[in-house]
Amino acid sequence: MSAAPTTGATTWQPTDKWLLGIVLAVINFWLFAQTLLNVIPGIRGQLGVEETLANLAVSITSLFSGIFIVVAGGLADRLGRAKILYLGIWLSIAGSLLIALTPENLGGLTSAMLLGGRVVQGLSAACIMPASMALVKTYYEGKDRQRALSYWSIGSWGGSGFCALFGGLMATSFLGWRSIFWISIVLSMLALFLLKGTPESKAEQDPAAERRFDFTGLIFFILMLVSINVYISQGPNIGWLSLGGIALVAIFVVTGLLFLQIEVHSRNPFVNLKLFSNGTFTGATLSNFLLNGAAGTLIVSLGLVQVAAGMSSLQSGLLTLGYLVAILATIRVGEKLLQRFGPKKPMLWGSMITGLGILMCSMTFLYTDQYIVLSVIGFTLFGIGLGFYATPSTDAALSNVPDSEVGSASGIYKMASSLGNAIGVAISAALYVAGQAMDPALIQSWGLFIGRQDNVALRFGGAIGLLFNVLMVVIAIASIIVTVPSEKKKDSEKTQHDEVAPPPIGN
């Protein structure tokens, strides 16, 4: 049964309408904000912005979400999860409004409003994701919580599956691409209405504990991530081994080491590294980072067919229709697999199916018609795999941390989602561009790429960018095998603990 928190003299229980409000809040990032992955090539010329700025606009939202999501999770624990959730929804409205009103060909003003809106959307996601996950854990228990997390996953994974198709549909319709963000505003208002009256939830705090915020850790964390993101995304322009490129890598390494040193010795760390002493949480979070990094598959594969095959954003988005249907159809299957087998097996099965799907999308050496068929099948397998993986991974991450740390743990878990997305997209796009510099004559000499030969460098770059995503899935599988215990082993450890541990006092 769902939990029944008490507020004042009344007992409150979550309803399906309330859960719908949570899903709508979550979907505003994964569905609407992520549409730029497919839409940006078509609107860049209309807005009059350079390609480098357009690419930055794609990745900056996930980057800011990843940077600040742990901060927001900690604030949710201390100030109130409902408060931070409402703040995130209002920020979503503000960010969407800035993008919807972005003027065309006005230079600095256009760039400022586009990037500003994307930054605000990232901050919105940073607030919404950990706060909503913490509220779900607080107000649901057992199978009800697993069901609620499945619907939460429909908002995140399902939204990411629909974003390419939805963005392409809106951008090519008479409504235009700006309608994407107007619709986002309307659904945000509906979410606020459905969530009205949510009782506040906070983590229990020790009044004697020092609660100074770790600003030093946050600063080094920002410097670390921004430096590596700029290096990855701008490497082809500034030069991978140029003085500027080497300086960015040096900043990343130094600030990363300082960040780890500070977090290990801080009483109130920005990122609670002690949570990673739990193998299940570590495996769920690391594999979540890597599988979200596989979002680079979308930007490379869809961008490739738009350039090489002359498809529109809508036509390329249709290739992902099977992804959408599959992920929506299998998320509840993943929930049932979790209940029967525990988290490890469905996480592994899902990752393997996802890897196979991406591998099929990597076969850019074929004829266009053949590649399109394989892409449709590949994206469908991609969706099935993520559907199997989503709920078991989320439940594994949240069920293995203390209640007092659930906001921070949710923040770290979803930080992995956002940073994986940002870094995966940036690396995949960079490899896609770098691969195109290969000598076409050398590629042709291999005799591997059939069909048109005037675009072999483009197709080779696509293959390199996509195979990188396969590699990330392989590493995710390895991380699950090593860190997540099997149910049998877990039950054995629990039995041994019960035999030697004294009976608990109270709750």
Side-chain angles (χ1 to χ4, degrees), residues 88-373:
I89 297 174
W90 280 112
L91 286 173
S92 176
I93 292 171
S96 294
L97 187 63
L98 278 171
I99 297 172
L101 297 177
T102 297
E104 299 176 5
N105 297 301
L106 287 183
L109 180 61
T110 298
S111 300
M113 289 189 67
L114 177 63
L115 293 179
R118 296 293 288 168
V119 167
V120 174
Q121 283 184 321
L123 296 174
S124 164
C127 293
I128 289 172
M129 288 190 284
S132 60
M133 289 181 73
L135 286 170
V136 166
K137 181 174 182 182
T138 299
Y139 295 136
Y140 292 95
E141 292 178 352
K143 290 186 177 181
D144 284 334
R145 181 165 66 201
Q146 293 170 349
R147 171 180 174 270
L149 287 174
S150 289
Y151 284 107
W152 192 100
S153 296
I154 287 174
S156 58
W157 294 101
S160 67
F162 192 36
C163 68
L165 178 59
F166 175 76
L169 179 64
M170 292 294 101
T172 56
S173 73
F174 71 95
L175 294 173
W177 67 270
R178 296 178 192 272
S179 63
I180 296 168
F181 302 101
W182 291 117
I183 295 172
S184 176
I185 291 172
V186 171
L187 291 187
S188 292
M189 297 299 294
L190 178 59
L192 286 171
F193 173 76
L194 294 173
L195 295 170
K196 185 178 180 182
T198 302
E200 193 53 272
S201 165
K202 299 180 183 179
E204 293 184 8
Q205 303 291 339
D206 182 358
E210 183 184 4
R211 303 306 301 175
R212 292 180 60 189
F213 184 74
D214 181 17
F215 283 106
T216 306
L218 174 61
I219 291 170
F220 282 116
F221 187 69
I222 292 173
L223 290 173
M224 176 182 69
L225 290 179
V226 170
S227 61
I228 194 63
N229 190 267
V230 171
Y231 176 74
I232 293 169
S233 61
Q234 302 300 314
N237 294 331
I238 63 177
W240 300 108
L241 297 177
S242 67
L243 184 60
I246 294 173
L248 286 169
V249 173
I251 292 172
F252 167 72
V253 172
V254 172
T255 55
L257 292 174
L258 289 172
F259 170 73
L260 290 175
Q261 182 73 11
I262 291 169
E263 298 309 284
V264 167
H265 295 94
S266 175
R267 290 185 179 180
N268 299 292
F270 167 59
V271 175
N272 186 359
L273 299 178
K274 292 180 181 178
L275 289 171
F276 290 98
S277 63
N278 182 288
T280 303
F281 177 80
T282 300
T285 303
L286 179 57
S287 60
N288 184 43
F289 171 86
L290 293 163
L291 288 184
N292 272 277
T297 303
L298 289 169
I299 195 169
V300 174
S301 182
L302 300 186
L304 179 65
V305 295
Q306 287 183 39
V307 177
M311 287 187 171
S312 67
S313 58
L314 174 59
Q315 290 171 327
S316 64
L318 285 171
L319 298 181
T320 68
L321 183 59
Y323 176 102
L324 168 66
V325 174
I327 199 169
L328 292 178
T330 56
I331 280 180
R332 296 301 304 275
V333 177
E335 174 191 336
K336 302 303 179 184
L337 291 174
L338 166 66
Q339 293 169 359
R340 181 170 181 180
F341 298 105
K344 184 170 186 175
K345 287 183 178 179
M347 287 170 68
L348 282 173
W349 295 335
S351 299
M352 292 174 183
I353 296 170
T354 295
L356 177 61
I358 299 173
L359 184 62
M360 296 182 74
C361 292
S362 304
M363 298 182 182
T364 63
F365 56 88
L366 300 172
Y367 290 111
T368 300
D369 291 345
Q370 295 172 339
Y371 179 74
I372 288 173
V373 172

Side-chain angles (χ1 to χ4, degrees), residues 3 28 40 46 49 99 114 148 203 205 210 215 233 293 300 311 376 380 396 425 431 460 470 473:
N28 272 298
I40 197 68
Q46 179 183 340
V49 296
I99 297 172
L114 177 63
Q205 303 291 339
E210 183 184 4
F215 283 106
S233 61
V300 174
M311 287 187 171
V376 171
T380 302
V425 166
L431 290 173
F460 175 76
V470 177
V473 176

